[in-house]
Amino acid sequence: MPYSDLDFNLTDEQKSMRDMVRKFGAEVVRPAGVELDKLADPVDVIAEGSKLWDVFKTYRELGLHKTAFSKAFGGMAEDMDTMMGYVITEEMGYADAGLAISMGACSMPFAYCQMAPVPELQDLARQYVEDTEANLIGCWAITEPDHGSDWGLGGEDPKCAPSVRGVLKGDEYIINGQKAAWVSNGNIATHAVLHVGLDPSKGMMGQGIAICPLDLPGISRGKPLNKIGQRPLNQGEIFFEDVQLPKKYMIIPDYSLFMEARRAGGGQTPMSGMAVLFGGLAKAALDEGIAYARQRVQGGVPIIEHKNIKLKLFEMFMQVESARSFARRMYTFNAESGASSLLHAMAGKWISTETAFKVASEAIQIFGGNGLSKEYQIEKIFRDARAAMIEDGVNESLALGVADDL
Ligand SMILES: Cc1cc2nc3c(=O)[nH]c(=O)nc-3n(C[C@H](O)[C@H](O)[C@H](O)COP(=O)(O)OP(=O)(O)OC[C@H]3O[C@@H](n4cnc5c(N)ncnc54)[C@H](O)[C@@H]3O)c2cc1C
């Protein structure tokens, strides 16, 4: 777009990464997202021959799935820096938020496998890095039909304990229960990061985190979820009936110790990435608004020449740049300071998702009637942004979980 980008000091490597992802976003991700969004039945999104698989495969061919994996596993984490992670996430969000989330969730179980002192899980991490066909797909299975915000707010209250339970018998956990239809990649994943209740008397603090292959006997799936926004993102429920999971796959048996170490050790949380990603979507909404205002003629001139449109665009520009700046500052702090501010990460997720929603809504106003038409992408961006205010935690619930840090 014609306005200048303040990231003037990117290195050549960072610029070439940004440009590569931008091209992939414009040529593959955005067009696929637009096409997948229009499919009435979400079953068709994941059908053989769907454009979804072009996105998965090209993402892998470009090596973008390897960025969080160390060289010891065939990855490229050591060649990455904070700004490279930032530009990849923002460009993916700019291209299509739902598909960006799908790609991100995909690597989660395999990234966890790197840290597990279990040879077969470490092999799995290597296999994922080598997999350019998208045969291995991950998901993050937390939410349950009866437990959404409870995951962040339930604490030690036994009433809030997970319904998916794991009972240790010998060398195996016997898993029973159901994860909600909200699990991203839920119908297509081969492996899950599975949050499971181990000691219900400790509420959410009694949970463990396992790597769970989803082809184990006793696992079944529901139908793909049909929803308002981020429609290219597959979501579906997962059922567990007397599933025998090897004990060694429970890589984090004590959640409270894990959370303490995480707070002390620094690093990103999933909300850091969400803040950056939806800053990208907010920018996409602004750019759609500017492009339309330049070409739509009313009163004999392009509408961008009318003062009300000019001021509206300027306000949208300020909001987008404020959200992106906050996200970048928070993301850099969490990556480089050795500490981690959950307070800022949650605030960043709130600011970026609400900015994307507000800016997309204002852009629809600029489009007039055309903003409501399926012929233009702005109504899709609006719906995608709306979903984000609930995705990975309702914004208010996330805020309540950290507000005491003030
Ligand atoms: C696009 C998208 C992608 C997602 N991807 C995944 C995924 O990959 N994996 C996964 O497991 N889940 C995923 N989710 C689920 C998501 O994390 C949950 O929807 C979210 O945590 C909210 O849970 P809920 O929908 O059950 O709402 P609820 O928790 O029922 O909340 C309903 C309302 O009540 C309020 N509320 C709830 N509890 C409290 C409280 N204690 N105090 C005050 N107010 C409260 C909330 O703020 C909210 O306004 C996804 C969701 C979306 C929309």
Side-chain angles (χ1 to χ4, degrees):
M1 287 311 292
Y3 56 91
S4 53
D5 198 326
L6 297 187
D7 293 333
F8 72 99
N9 54 354
L10 295 183
T11 64
D12 288 345
E13 289 78 15
Q14 291 161 349
K15 274 191 211 142
S16 73
M17 179 64 88
R18 180 197 62 195
D19 295 346
M20 187 260 279
V21 183
R22 192 171 280 177
K23 187 166 182 291
F24 168 54
E27 293 177 1
V28 180
V29 184
R30 178 75 72 93
V34 168
E35 190 174 318
L36 296 170
D37 177 72
K38 291 194 172 122
L39 297 174
D41 186 345
V43 170
D44 294 332
V45 170
I46 56 173
E48 211 181 316
S50 153
K51 281 271 186 299
L52 177 71
W53 304 115
D54 296 345
V55 177
F56 264 100
K57 285 182 190 163
T58 315
Y59 187 81
R60 306 262 178 129
E61 282 158 13
L62 293 172
L64 291 168
H65 70 302
K66 308 189 206 181
T67 55
F69 290 79
S70 82
K71 286 189 174 165
F73 291 88
M76 50 193 276
E78 293 84 350
D79 297 331
M80 296 283 297
D81 56 38
T82 306
M83 276 312 285
M84 277 193 196
Y86 179 93
V87 295
I88 292 172
T89 309
E90 191 178 66
E91 292 297 333
M92 286 297 293
Y94 185 93
D96 187 284
L99 290 172
I101 296 288
S102 183
M103 298 305 114
C106 192
S107 66
M108 281 187 75
F110 311 104
Y112 269 63
C113 283
Q114 296 178 97
M115 297 175 278
V118 180
E120 60 207 78
L121 291 181
Q122 298 208 341
D123 275 351
L124 194 57
R126 282 188 196 95
Q127 286 167 36
Y128 175 75
V129 168
E130 283 165 16
D131 174 23
T132 49
E133 291 295 312
N135 293 319
L136 292 174
I137 294 176
C139 70
W140 186 24
I142 310 180
T143 309
E144 297 172 353
D146 294 333
H147 299 289
S149 304
D150 280 354
W151 290 94
L153 300 176
E156 294 184 15
D157 185 345
K159 288 200 295 295
C160 302
S163 312
V164 172
R165 297 269 162 89
V167 177
L168 189 59
K169 282 201 177 141
D171 278 344
E172 285 170 339
Y173 282 95
I174 309 301
I175 313 272
N176 278 289
Q178 178 193 344
K179 289 294 175 186
W182 292 106
V183 175
S184 299
N185 297 339
N187 299 106
I188 55 176
T190 57
H191 294 77
V193 172
L194 178 66
H195 289 239
V196 49
L198 301 179
D199 182 352
S201 70
K202 293 188 186 157
M204 280 299 166
M205 288 304 129
Q207 67 176 285
I209 303 178
I211 301 300
C212 185
L214 294 174
D215 59 356
L216 291 177
I219 295 180
S220 56
R221 323 283 177 112
K223 285 193 308 191
L225 180 73
N226 203 350
K227 60 189 191 291
I228 178 177
Q230 299 187 31
R231 293 175 60 80
L233 169 66
N234 165 257
Q235 293 184 283
E237 55 207 342
I238 309 176
F239 302 91
F240 300 83
E241 197 181 339
D242 291 331
V243 174
Q244 296 172 291
L245 183 75
K247 184 181 169 191
K248 60 190 172 189
Y249 285 22
M250 188 65 64
I251 57 171
I252 298 167
D254 189 329
Y255 186 70
S256 41
L257 285 181
F258 168 71
M259 285 308 282
E260 257 173 50
R262 191 169 198 179
R263 271 183 180 255
Q268 303 294 3
T269 78
M271 294 313 136
S272 316
M274 297 285 279
V276 176
L277 194 156
F278 287 99
L281 186 68
K283 186 169 188 292
L286 170 64
D287 288 352
E288 289 295 312
I290 295 173
Y292 185 83
R294 283 171 171 269
Q295 55 95 8
R296 172 70 174 168
V297 175
Q298 284 296 285
V301 292
I303 59 172
I304 200 164
E305 291 183 25
H306 296 306
K307 280 204 176 99
N308 55 328
I309 301 289
K310 235 183 255 196
L311 279 179
K312 195 183 281 299
L313 284 169
F314 189 73
E315 264 185 56
M316 289 158 65
F317 164 75
M318 288 192 290
Q319 288 165 5
V320 170
E321 287 302 276
S322 302
R324 291 179 69 215
S325 299
F326 184 91
R328 178 173 167 176
R329 188 159 156 255
M330 171 277 297
Y331 188 84
T332 306
F333 176 86
N334 284 345
E336 295 181 6
S337 69
S340 183
S341 173
L342 280 180
L343 191 67
H344 285 82
M346 300 304 178
K349 194 263 178 174
W350 178 311
I351 293 168
S352 289
T353 56
E354 303 239 349
T355 301
F357 179 67
K358 283 186 197 143
V359 170
S361 179
E362 289 299 297
I364 287 178
Q365 207 66 15
I366 291 173
F367 274 69
N370 282 339
L372 307 173
S373 156
K374 294 268 179 198
E375 292 299 307
Y376 293 85
Q377 290 178 27
I378 193 62
E379 62 84 30
K380 173 181 181 294
I381 292 175
F382 176 73
R383 288 183 284 108
D384 289 350
R386 185 63 190 86
M389 289 152 68
I390 294 169
E391 187 165 23
D392 283 5
V394 177
N395 285 353
E396 293 86 340
S397 295
L398 294 174
L400 283 176
V402 293
D404 283 350
D405 288 5
L406 290 172

